[in-house]
Amino acid sequence: RKTEFEDNVTPSGNSIAVLNLLRLAAILFDQEYAKRAQAVLKAAPDGIRLHPSGFPQLLMAVDYLLDQSKEIVVIAEKEDAALSEVKGSLLRAFIPNKVAVVSVGSNNSVPLLKNKTAIQGKPTLYVCVNRVCKLPTADLGKAMAMANDSKKFELP
């Protein structure tokens, strides 16, 4: 079968698979997923260098791999309006290399969720970069500011 890497109206399956593998590596702390993502990227055609505009989703995956993962964990005791607001804000926000995980209740068996709790019964956000978390906050605006704090690049 033909393997598609180029994006059309919808992103290619390979591009989505690479991003999902990288996100799984961040959530489960399992670098085997990242290695599989790298293997798919190595199989990408040379055409990506000639016309990168045909591969936007794949290039997002490359950016994710080369940059820092932003893990945003939301811990809540119950599903309520405050949690819905947090989830809506996270869905709407463009935060490059974002991995968002929401946990309601006490089921924190996923490695990224371990030892994280809600503060004073409010939905609490943990913003982490490559598994190193900043102080937790129940203030959505403060968490979004922490999540949007990007690494600055300078050209030589």
Side-chain angles (χ1 to χ4, degrees), residues 17-124:
V18 170
L19 276 169
N20 286 340
L21 286 167
L22 292 170
R23 289 178 180 131
L24 278 172
I27 293 168
L28 301 175
F29 298 168
D30 187 343
Q31 288 307 303
E32 187 59 36
Y33 292 108
K35 288 178 187 174
R36 290 180 184 181
Q38 288 175 353
V40 175
L41 286 171
K42 286 179 183 175
D46 287 336
I48 195 167
R49 288 183 180 92
L50 299 173
H51 56 98
S53 61
F55 303 87
Q57 198 72 27
L58 193 63
L59 290 173
M60 284 179 60
V62 170
D63 178 65
Y64 186 109
L65 186 65
L66 297 176
D67 197 12
Q68 299 175 338
S69 172
K70 291 249 179 110
E71 303 96 14
I72 303 171
V73 176
V74 181
I75 304 292
E77 293 177 357
K78 62 183 182 225
E79 187 77 41
D80 59 8
L83 180 58
S84 293
E85 180 185 355
V86 169
K87 290 193 302 188
S89 292
L90 285 175
L91 284 172
R92 287 187 300 273
F94 177 71
I95 302 168
N97 308 324
K98 167 181 70 177
V99 175
V101 179
V102 178
S103 177
V104 179
S106 60
N107 182 14
N108 294 346
S109 59
V110 174
L112 184 60
L113 302 175
K114 293 254 189 238
N115 301 319
K116 294 178 175 68
T117 57
I119 297 173
Q120 299 175 348
K122 298 177 183 176
T124 303

